[in-house]
Amino acid sequence: MSFVVAIDGPAGTGKGTITKILAEKLNLINIDTGAMYRCVALDCLNKNITANEEEKIKEVLEKIDIKLENTNGVQKVFLNGEDVSSKIRTPEVDDVVAVFAALKIVRDKVTPIERALGEKNDVIMEGRDIGTVVFPNADVKIFLDCSLEERANRRYKQNLEKGINETYEEVLKSIKERHKLETERKIAPLIKAEDSILVDSTNMTIEEVVEKIEEIVRRKRNG
Ligand code: DC
């Protein structure tokens, strides 16, 4: 049996950074499931397909090839053979991904890929529905939360570092819209699993969050 750590929570809580550090410390494979939804959104954007064109999306999903590769702790994302690790993280993809991720046909495609990865490997998997839908029996479930304002602040700073010019207000607006879509969608909404442990990172440093989760996982692993 593989060991599964599920880390769920909204965008901008530091999930990506924290999961990456924890994967290395705990010798687990890091799986960023948002990257898969981003690949679907990018593939459709590239083909000028909008989220209400279900038939066309179905065709895209039939052919889509998404691969996550971990080399020395760095995750690369390949879409139909192309390294799209940067292309999936633009504001254009940010703006549409939540709408694609809300579609049943999209979730029905991505969820089995996630399950297959977690069944074969000891993983730390981050997303929105890992502890509720993908691995309801995960060994450890963490719900990482943070205030909307602090999340927007963090995303704004990340964007600046990447040379993306968006104002704080634009980032906040986009984060609020995505949050609404993710928490109110019918299928696999972002909610805390009853048995997950809440970690609120609003006033915590990355190191503090890592330390807290690391302790929880080690305690569970050592029985
Ligand atoms: O974590 P992220 O921002 O890269 O996620 C991109 C989008 O995918 C976001 O709108 C939420 C969605 N997502 C999801 O619905 N379920 C997951 N398990 C992971 C991400």
Side-chain angles (χ1 to χ4, degrees):
M1 270 294 280
S2 60
F3 188 83
V4 176
V5 178
I7 312 264
D8 288 305
T13 46
K15 272 197 321 290
T17 311
I18 288 157
T19 306
K20 208 170 129 210
I21 301 172
L22 282 167
E24 216 168 297
K25 284 185 167 230
L26 296 161
N27 199 21
L28 297 168
I29 292 178
N30 168 20
I31 297 170
D32 164 12
T33 61
M36 303 191 206
Y37 290 98
R38 286 173 179 274
C39 281
V40 173
L42 179 64
D43 209 359
C44 290
L45 269 182
N46 286 343
K47 294 174 175 138
N48 287 318
I49 297 169
T50 59
N52 47 24
E53 296 179 289
E54 285 228 10
E55 278 309 309
K56 289 187 182 169
I57 298 171
K58 218 183 264 174
E59 279 173 34
V60 167
L61 293 172
E62 272 162 22
K63 294 191 199 124
I64 204 165
D65 174 32
I66 302 170
K67 288 217 167 62
L68 305 184
E69 256 184 40
N70 268 283
T71 321
N72 301 327
V74 180
Q75 185 184 259
K76 279 195 176 170
V77 184
F78 292 87
L79 168 62
N80 303 328
E82 182 194 351
D83 182 352
V84 292
S85 311
S86 306
K87 284 189 187 164
I88 56 168
R89 303 199 187 276
T90 59
E92 289 73 28
V93 175
D94 279 355
D95 283 347
V96 298
V97 62
V99 189
F100 283 99
L103 300 175
K104 185 174 184 306
I105 46 168
V106 174
R107 304 205 75 83
D108 284 351
K109 176 79 190 187
V110 173
T111 301
I113 303 176
E114 296 167 336
R115 287 202 181 117
L117 288 169
E119 276 159 12
K120 272 192 271 157
N121 310 284
D122 289 342
V123 297
I124 181 160
M125 191 174 280
E126 57 129 324
R128 305 295 190 282
D129 62 338
I130 311 304
T132 49
V133 175
V134 183
F135 285 107
N137 296 320
D139 297 276
V140 178
K141 295 185 193 181
I142 304 288
F143 192 85
L144 192 57
D145 213 350
C146 179
S147 76
L148 270 171
E149 290 71 21
E150 179 56 19
R151 284 158 50 197
N153 193 26
R154 291 176 187 172
R155 187 51 53 92
Y156 170 69
K157 286 184 187 157
Q158 275 175 4
N159 282 353
L160 278 187
E161 281 167 20
K162 286 196 241 164
I164 296 171
N165 270 324
E166 268 198 316
T167 64
Y168 170 79
E169 284 69 29
E170 283 167 338
V171 177
L172 180 63
K173 183 167 172 272
S174 151
I175 291 230
K176 275 187 182 162
E177 279 168 8
R178 267 223 276 164
H179 190 78
K180 192 169 154 55
L181 281 165
E182 288 173 14
T183 51
E184 292 179 5
R185 71 182 175 214
K186 288 206 185 74
I187 312 158
L190 170 67
I191 42 163
K192 182 187 165 302
E194 251 176 48
D195 54 350
S196 77
I197 299 168
L198 175 69
V199 177
D200 187 330
S201 76
T202 309
N203 297 307
M204 289 171 87
T205 62
I206 295 280
E207 292 72 26
E208 286 169 336
V209 178
V210 167
E211 201 179 315
K212 182 162 184 164
I213 302 177
E214 187 182 356
E215 199 191 310
I216 296 168
V217 176
R218 287 203 193 276
R219 226 184 297 138
K220 175 79 192 193
R221 237 181 177 179
N222 299 333

